[in-house]
Amino acid sequence: MIVMKFGGSSVESAPAIRRVAGIVAARLERRPVVVVSAMGRTTNRLLVIAAAAAGGDRARALDLLRELHRDHMREAGELVRAASAGELHARLDEMFLELEDLVKGLSVLGELTPRSTDAISSYGERLSSEIVTRAFENLGVPATHLDARGVIVTDHRHTQAAPLYHETYERLARIIPPLTSHGVVVMGGFIGSTLEGVTSTLGRGGSDLTASLVGAGIRADEIQIWTDVDGMLTADPRIFAGPYRVKTISFAEAAELAYFGAKVLHPSTVLPAIESGIPVLILNSRRPKVAGTRIVRETVHADNVAKAIACKRDITLLNIVSTRMLMAHGFLRRIFEVFDRYETPVDMVATSEVSVSLTIDNAARLDDITRELSAFAEVSVERDQAILCLVGENIRRTPGVASRVFRALEPVNVLMISQGASLLNLSVVVAGADLVRAVERLHDEFFSNPDPAIFEPVQTGAVAV
Ligand code: ADP
Ligand code: ASP
Ligand code: MG
């Protein structure tokens, strides 16, 4: 068995879903289990609808919902033959009626809880998985739909729920293998339910995690993450023109890159796969012939020091200074307790005797955090910063990497630098406005002479199917 996960852009339209059917059909003998994201930007659209409804703009919420309904009906209509279209359309109508009830309920309550956010955002994958199942059948690929909420069990942290691994693996192993004899199993990513059966979601980008959980649960031979780029690239192609495809990368490197912003993989994805030693492949659904990126357990040797550069925008930098705390023990603990209380992860930290600089990605609780910190320290906040992270197993073995980074970034003001505890990353903070230039300069410095065993230029142009 293999798991094939198709992201939002891979199932965004009828032609995209037809391409997916072709890719899956060519691999039927490997008994694929298909995990799909919501179509295109549906999750964003649902969240906008939910916010409009709860914010009192009921008419706009209902208008946007009707638009989403139309879009789904149109693409579904192009995928299924008239004979079976009625059934699918009826099913979609039914789900959109439920959504309408939810939207009306939210507008009465005027409040959007994490739990009701999940109730609404889960429909993206519920819709796409049913459409893809029926499309497969119509295109001659035998398929059977599985409601992911029956197998992915999570805790109660709605909108970013964590899987309950034991229960989830038990259900996946019990329920999926027998279903594969009825054809390709198709399920939605991202969604799950609590033990009590309340719908939950795994956080944005969570379909990758679903794929990895399913892979581990059914002991798949391989997990394939099909997306809109050729694989893990040496830099985000939206920021840097001309990155290389990384042919093979270790789990540790991939996890680090994902955490520091390489959105092509969700940060938690690799863990279940590592634990079960299942290889993960990243592939391009628009160019299925490209070999993609293979993520493996062992270290991957390359002549270059780094495998790739990841970056995160919209980072907030906090400088926390307390002269009173000079040499006092317990200062760091007090600081981190505040971040812990407001459930705000800290990404990078640099300390001196009287000050601590750190970065956070999620600034939703920033006001509370600065208020509490101000009780015992002076706090200054700089928004709109960016983290750049150079990742590669060779970094820990190679002297002089930091000086190369500084030299490359000479014209850019580096606000913070840190070598992660894993020793396979070196991260710097720069102003958001300097990000593009900094990525270009780092890329020139570390990839001007790419090892052909590991890196390959990304081909552009004709789409080979
Ligand atoms: P999907 O909808 O398939 O889950 P995502 O949008 O979540 O796709 O992830 C794919 C995107 O990740 C790419 O379009 C690319 O812009 C972005 N990305 C960021 N960093 C990298 C990187 N280092 N390599 C490849 N893609 C990256
Ligand atoms: N549809 C969800 C999102 O947009 C999950 C995913 O695509 O991975 O975040
Ligand atoms: Mg994604």
Side-chain angles (χ1 to χ4, degrees), residues 5-11 37-38 40 204-208 225-239 243-244 246 257 260-266 282-283 285 293 308-311:
K5 177 260 170 174
F6 293 90
S9 57
S10 301
V11 293
S37 288
R204 297 306 306 271
S207 296
D208 293 347
I225 307 286
W226 290 84
T227 181
D228 62 352
V229 284
D230 281 357
M232 182 66 85
L233 308 177
T234 49
D236 184 345
R238 285 179 209 189
I239 292 186
Y244 298 104
V246 187
L257 285 164
F260 282 100
K263 186 184 165 215
V264 67
L265 212 61
H266 182 280
I282 305 176
L283 295 155
S285 67
T293 297
I309 301 163
C311 57

Side-chain angles (χ1 to χ4, degrees), residues 408-439:
L409 295 182
E410 213 179 336
V412 177
N413 189 19
V414 175
L415 301 160
M416 209 172 143
I417 179 159
S418 114
Q419 176 146 20
S422 64
L423 299 182
L424 50 78
N425 88 58
L426 202 142
S427 310
V428 294
V429 176
V430 301
D434 287 331
L435 175 65
V436 173
R437 192 159 56 127
V439 171

Side-chain angles (χ1 to χ4, degrees), residues 145-161:
H145 182 258
L146 171 67
D147 189 335
R149 295 171 300 163
V151 280
I152 305 292
V153 189
T154 75
D155 64 14
H156 295 85
R157 290 179 43 212
H158 286 284
T159 72
Q160 41 191 328

Side-chain angles (χ1 to χ4, degrees), residues 287-306:
R287 291 206 286 225
K289 296 244 162 71
V290 176
T293 297
R294 194 170 189 81
I295 306 174
V296 296
R297 196 201 285 251
E298 60 274 11
T299 308
V300 177
H301 175 78
D303 291 342
N304 300 67
V305 160

Side-chain angles (χ1 to χ4, degrees), residues 333-380:
R333 180 176 49 75
R334 281 185 79 181
I335 290 176
F336 284 106
E337 269 171 3
V338 175
F339 288 89
D340 193 36
R341 217 166 13 259
Y342 293 103
E343 295 184 341
T344 300
V346 172
D347 287 332
M348 271 174 76
V349 189
T351 60
S352 78
E353 227 162 30
V354 292
S355 73
V356 178
S357 301
L358 48 78
T359 65
I360 58 173
D361 192 358
N362 177 358
R365 310 299 301 273
L366 185 63
D367 289 346
D368 294 318
I369 290 170
T370 45
R371 196 191 57 247
E372 288 212 16
L373 291 173
S374 300
F376 60 93
E378 279 164 35
V379 186
S380 65

